Amino acid sequence: MSRMRLRTAERLKESQNTAAFLTTFNEADMSKIMALRSQNKDDVLQKHGVKLGFMGPVARASALALREIPAINASIENDDTIVFHDYIDLSVAVATPKGLVTPVLRNMERQGIVEIEQGIAELGKKVNRSELLLAELYNQNLFSDVYHLLGSRWQVDYG
């Protein structure tokens, strides 16, 4: 087993043992995001060199929600201490020929939609160039991936 697969397996097992897992069914009207993308995708690509996808708006909304409800962005340490974080680090799933990797986009609370999309694109490039540092895989306080963002766990109304 390669080091990457071994580390991925370890992290998945650690996550399974330490995080609450649940499956929810969410209904989301994505028509405004679809309109935003349609109206701005060419300008954003030309001006910023990044495609405007779904992860940017959803990650930004998640950051705003975590800021609004700080208890969701907290963690438990030493079985008796609740630590409230003043930062939001999002782990995003990046598919590679060697498997799935989940690097962390740091300090998302200070980023807009375009900056988030740029960060995700840059993490993807680093993964594919094998330049990702081990530290870039740790200490996220939120996880999301586009495969579960749309599809089986979301009922999407495209307007």
Side-chain angles (χ1 to χ4, degrees):
M1 184 180 306
S2 71
R3 271 185 20 171
M4 181 181 290
R5 288 207 182 268
L6 181 61
R7 176 61 66 195
T8 300
E10 289 172 357
R11 296 291 289 148
L12 284 171
K13 184 60 180 161
E14 178 185 338
S15 175
Q16 183 182 33
N17 292 340
T18 59
F21 278 80
L22 61 124
T23 299
T24 59
F25 184 80
N26 300 295
E27 292 187 44
D29 178 359
M30 301 291 281
S31 60
K32 290 184 181 179
I33 292 177
M34 297 296 290
L36 174 81
R37 289 179 72 227
S38 293
Q39 293 169 2
N40 297 290
K41 65 181 178 181
D42 295 334
D43 290 338
V44 170
L45 182 59
Q46 184 177 11
K47 186 175 180 181
H48 301 284
V50 66
K51 292 181 180 179
L52 194 54
F54 287 105
M55 282 300 298
V58 171
R60 180 67 182 144
S62 299
L64 294 173
L66 289 173
R67 198 175 345 168
E68 185 74 22
I69 308 171
I72 297 173
N73 194 31
S75 61
I76 299 172
E77 292 184 6
N78 302 321
D79 294 328
D80 63 350
T81 305
I82 298 174
V83 177
F84 292 90
H85 303 288
D86 61 353
Y87 60 90
I88 299 167
D89 293 344
L90 172 72
S91 180
V92 295
V94 178
T96 73
K98 295 180 181 179
L100 190 66
V101 179
T102 55
V104 180
L105 183 60
R106 306 273 179 212
N107 300 309
M108 222 183 62
E109 74 282 358
R110 292 186 258 159
Q111 300 176 31
I113 292 171
V114 172
E115 290 89 0
I116 292 169
E117 293 284 6
Q118 288 172 323
I120 292 169
E122 184 56 35
L123 287 172
K125 289 176 189 173
K126 287 177 89 170
V127 167
N128 288 322
R129 292 189 307 246
S130 299
E131 296 174 355
L132 195 66
L133 302 173
L134 202 52
E136 293 174 297
L137 294 170
Y138 288 103
N139 299 324
Q140 77 277 5
N141 43 7
L142 181 65
F143 171 77
S144 185
D145 70 87
V146 75
Y147 303 110
H148 290 112
L149 173 64
L150 302 172
S152 64
R153 297 188 186 194
W154 287 75
Q155 176 180 332
V156 178
D157 178 3
Y158 290 105

